[in-house]
Amino acid sequence: MNRDTPYAARIAIRLPQSIYDKLEQWAEEEDRPLANLVYPLVKQAVTERDRTSNRFKHRR
């Protein structure tokens, strides 16, 4: 896989049905596919993790 190609990586995850249902409803309310809803949520979580991790690295 070429890491320079945007959106080249794929993952599969398992979710409890209740979480899936809530995400699906959210996506429907925003009139977009579930994957297009999940991507920014994951991106935000990774950005926050990077920010938090960097803060802790500087404390040592």
Side-chain angles (χ1 to χ4, degrees), residues 1-11 35-43:
M1 176 179 355
N2 181 351
R3 291 187 180 272
D4 295 330
T5 303
Y7 310 107
R10 291 179 174 246
I11 62 169
N36 290 354
L37 173 73
V38 172
Y39 170 72
L41 297 174
V42 171
K43 184 177 177 182

Side-chain angles (χ1 to χ4, degrees), residues 50-60:
D50 286 345
R51 188 179 66 76
T52 303
S53 293
N54 288 336
R55 184 174 39 171
F56 287 125
K57 286 178 185 175
H58 292 17
R59 285 185 174 176
R60 293 181 183 172

Side-chain angles (χ1 to χ4, degrees), residues 2-33:
N2 181 351
R3 291 187 180 272
D4 295 330
T5 303
Y7 310 107
R10 291 179 174 246
I11 62 169
I13 63 170
R14 289 178 155 289
L15 297 171
Q17 188 65 48
S18 61
I19 292 176
Y20 178 86
D21 292 344
K22 289 177 183 180
L23 288 171
E24 189 173 48
Q25 179 64 38
W26 186 357
E28 286 177 14
E29 289 171 1
E30 295 192 9
D31 195 28
R32 59 196 211 172

